[in-house]
């Protein structure tokens, strides 16, 4: 009972629209900004205490995050390159969340999408096939591979009532195992000795940097996809039906909404996003498919989506924040002599405090428009 | 010929017992938590943190049994945190579980770095078949005492659910919070205690991983076992006894890969790695929609919506 309410609460992120002036709406909506920001600050404070407890300086840490993530044009390039897959993997969580589904298998869909893109491109390398023909094929392969993977989790949920959270994570392990099987076996490049990889996709089919910027096109595409999906979810009948279903699935069914089709569509879109992230990791960053694709973007994307309250418009800025943390991770590791899991601990702190802050919504009269309209 | 087959089968049984032990502990812990009406998806994180802390404690103190206790302690900490967070109004237990996965794994990797190299003392095993004088059989049937502890815990839990006041309170809380309130029971306190105790068991399962089989600490030690054990609970229909049987089945499935490898089948190593996950999925597909599972499910559980 309380769980159902909890699940519904984070979906109704849109402020009340009717019968309120702009100022009131802003005040009511700001709750969804203020509480997550407070949660991040509180988690950072706790993490600072944690650093003190293990004998490290929180101020040095903060300084290194700034320098490594946001301090220079170079670090911004690094940050945005890491934010690019995070935007897309966060959408993998956010879109099904509109329906009340918790999908956490983005990592596997990303790996599989990247592998599919590489597998499609490799036979064409050196054949002289035009990039304009091969690149769309690569994109399509990654979209289909990722989409089908998360779509399968959606199908199992709808048809058999299989819990989609567990199923999607299990499928993620399977996707990584399948990819490793091909990368280490049938599709292995004999020249890759240190780390088994597919053959390189070559410069012809690679995605370049955006003009004048040190960032590949994946970031711009990710932001565009986020905006498009945000519009789809907040301004179309499809999105409206999805959010109704997320609020109360039985009521939606009773109203005659096509719940099964909505579930499948959202899961396919979600998986396609993760697959696209994998495409850019292969085509713009790695140049080939290998185990490095499973770098944790799928898992960080879960936190990004929760912090953005599953609102597609809010995902890009949050993704940039975590892209910066990831970008600075190496610097923190070297300068402070801390393990690479430091960023993971910080993410854990933020995640836990963020979920605890869920209980604060509706408690502050400051954010209420009136007693009647405020959420209890 | 038949003697050889018997040895292969006992080897499989020995392997099944080894592989299944952590599954038993995690599945029992999750059964207790879910019986009280909450789901803790974070047991994967508990397993990893329990493994790391258990290994580190065994290395530093020289006592593997203190390590087991430390692993359980890690589980109590994470379980209590999960339980308290979920006691706040409007906080979703599945989401908290995902967060605990991140936190548990993060902490384990953070503090575990220095313990990847050193050798910690292993848990001893009970030689069940040394008297036969058959070396193959003797090796196959060296069983870790924790396996028997796990089976005993399952029996105690099954008996306790039926016959004790605590069991009744946990079951009532899981089936109907309103009924538990009417009994004068604090729903949140029961659930938090159940999650903490469940975490203790899962942490022991983690310590088994690092202190007995595979018997070392590294960051790839657990890849989804905690999660599979959670899925197993649905398959076992929330019965502790069936948890043990299901865990043994999974253990046998997990023992097939190494067995094939030992006779020279190396092709498709990574596909064998995928087998346990696929088996879990199939088991979930088979058991999720079934009427038996729906009937046995605790009424307050959000997983069987």
């Amino acid at each position: 009972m309380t769980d159902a309410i909890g699940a519904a609460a984070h979906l109704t992120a849109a402020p009340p629209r009717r019968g309120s002036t702009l100022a009131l709406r802003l005040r009511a909506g700001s709750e969804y900004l203020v509480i997550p920001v407070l949660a991040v600050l509180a988690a950072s404070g706790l993490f600072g205490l944690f650093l003190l407890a293990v004998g490290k300086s929180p101020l040095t840490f903060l300084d290194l995050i700034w320098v490594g993530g946001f301090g220079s044009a170079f670090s911004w390039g690094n940050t945005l390159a890491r934010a690019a897959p995070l935007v897309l993997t966060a959408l993998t969580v956010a879109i099904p969340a509109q329906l009340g589904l918790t999908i956490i298998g983005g990592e596997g869909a990303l790996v599989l999408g990247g592998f599919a893109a590489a597998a499609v491109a490799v036979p064409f390398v050196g054949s002289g096939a035009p990039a304009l023909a091969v690149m769309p094929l690569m994109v399509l392969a990654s979209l289909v591979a990722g989409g089908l993977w998360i779509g399968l989790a959606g199908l199992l949920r709808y048809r058999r009532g299989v819990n989609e959270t567990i199923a999607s994570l299990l499928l993620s392990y399977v996707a990584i195992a399948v990819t490793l099987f091909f990368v280490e076996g049938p599709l292995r490049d004999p020249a890759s000795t240190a780390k088994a990889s597919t053959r390189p996709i070559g410069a012809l089919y690679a995605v370049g940097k955006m003009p004048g910027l040190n960032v590949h096109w994946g970031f711009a595409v990710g932001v565009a996809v986020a905006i498009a999906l945000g519009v789809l979810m907040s301004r179309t009948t499809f999105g409206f039906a999805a959010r109704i279903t997320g609020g109360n699935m039985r009521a939606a069914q009773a109203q005659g909404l096509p719940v099964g089709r909505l579930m499948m569509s959202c899961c396919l879109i979600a998986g396609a996003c993760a697959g696209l992230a994998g495409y850019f990791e292969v085509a713009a960053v790695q140049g080939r498919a290998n185990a490095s694709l499973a770098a944790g973007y799928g898992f960080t994307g879960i936190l990004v989506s929760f912090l953005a309250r599953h609102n597609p418009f809010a995902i890009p800025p949050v993704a940039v924040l975590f892209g910066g943390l990831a970008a600075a991770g190496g610097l923190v590791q070297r300068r402070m002599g801390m393990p690479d899991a430091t960023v993971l601990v910080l993410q854990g702190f933020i995640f836990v405090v963020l979920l605890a802050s869920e209980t604060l919504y509706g408690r502050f009269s400051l954010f209420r428009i009136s007693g009647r309209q405020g959420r209890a | 010929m038949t003697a050889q087959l018997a040895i292969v089968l006992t080897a499989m049984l020995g392997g099944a017992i080894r592989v299944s032990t952590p599954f038993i502990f995690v599945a029992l812990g999750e059964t207790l938590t879910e019986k009280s009406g909450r789901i803790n998806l974070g047991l994967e994180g508990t397993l990893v943190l329990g493994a790391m802390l258990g290994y580190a404690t065994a290395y530093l103190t020289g006592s593997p049994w203190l390590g087991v206790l430390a692993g359980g302690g890690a589980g109590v900490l994470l379980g209590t945190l999960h339980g308290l967070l979920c006691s706040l109004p409007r906080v979703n237990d599945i989401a908290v579980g995902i967060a605990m996965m991140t936190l548990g794994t993060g902490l384990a990797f953070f503090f575990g770095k220095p313990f990847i190299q050193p050798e910690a003392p292993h848990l001893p095993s009970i030689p069940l078949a040394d008297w036969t004088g058959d070396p193959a059989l003797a090796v196959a049937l060296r069983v870790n005492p924790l396996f028997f502890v796990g089976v005993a815990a399952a029996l105690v839990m099954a008996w306790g659910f039926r016959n004790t006041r605590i069991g009744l309170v946990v079951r009532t809380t899981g089936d109907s919070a309103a009924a538990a309130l009417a009994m004068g029971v604090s729903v949140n306190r029961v659930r938090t205690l159940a999650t903490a105790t469940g975490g203790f068991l899962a942490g022991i399962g983690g310590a088994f991983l690092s202190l007995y089989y595979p018997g070392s600490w590294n960051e790839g030690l657990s890849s989804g076992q905690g999660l599979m054990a959670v899925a197993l609970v649905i398959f076992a229909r929330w019965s502790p006894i069936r948890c043990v049987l299901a865990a043994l089945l999974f253990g046998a499935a997990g023992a097939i890969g190494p067995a094939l490898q030992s006779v020279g089948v190396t092709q498709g190593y990574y596909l064998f790695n995928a087998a346990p996950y696929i088996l879990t999925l199939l088991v979930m597909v088979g058991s999720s929609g079934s009427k038996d599972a729906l009937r046995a499910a605790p009424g307050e559980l959000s997983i069987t919506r």
Side-chain angles (χ1 to χ4, degrees), chain B residues 197-224:
Chain B
T197 316
F200 179 75
L201 289 171
I204 290 180
F208 178 92
L209 281 179
S210 61
L211 290 175
Y212 189 70
Y213 182 79
S216 66
W217 158 250
N218 62 69
E219 296 186 353
L221 186 62
S222 164
S223 44

Side-chain angles (χ1 to χ4, degrees), chain B residues 237 286-297:
Chain B
R237 280 180 267 140
S287 56
S288 287
S290 83
K291 291 223 167 62
D292 287 342
L294 288 180
R295 213 174 22 244

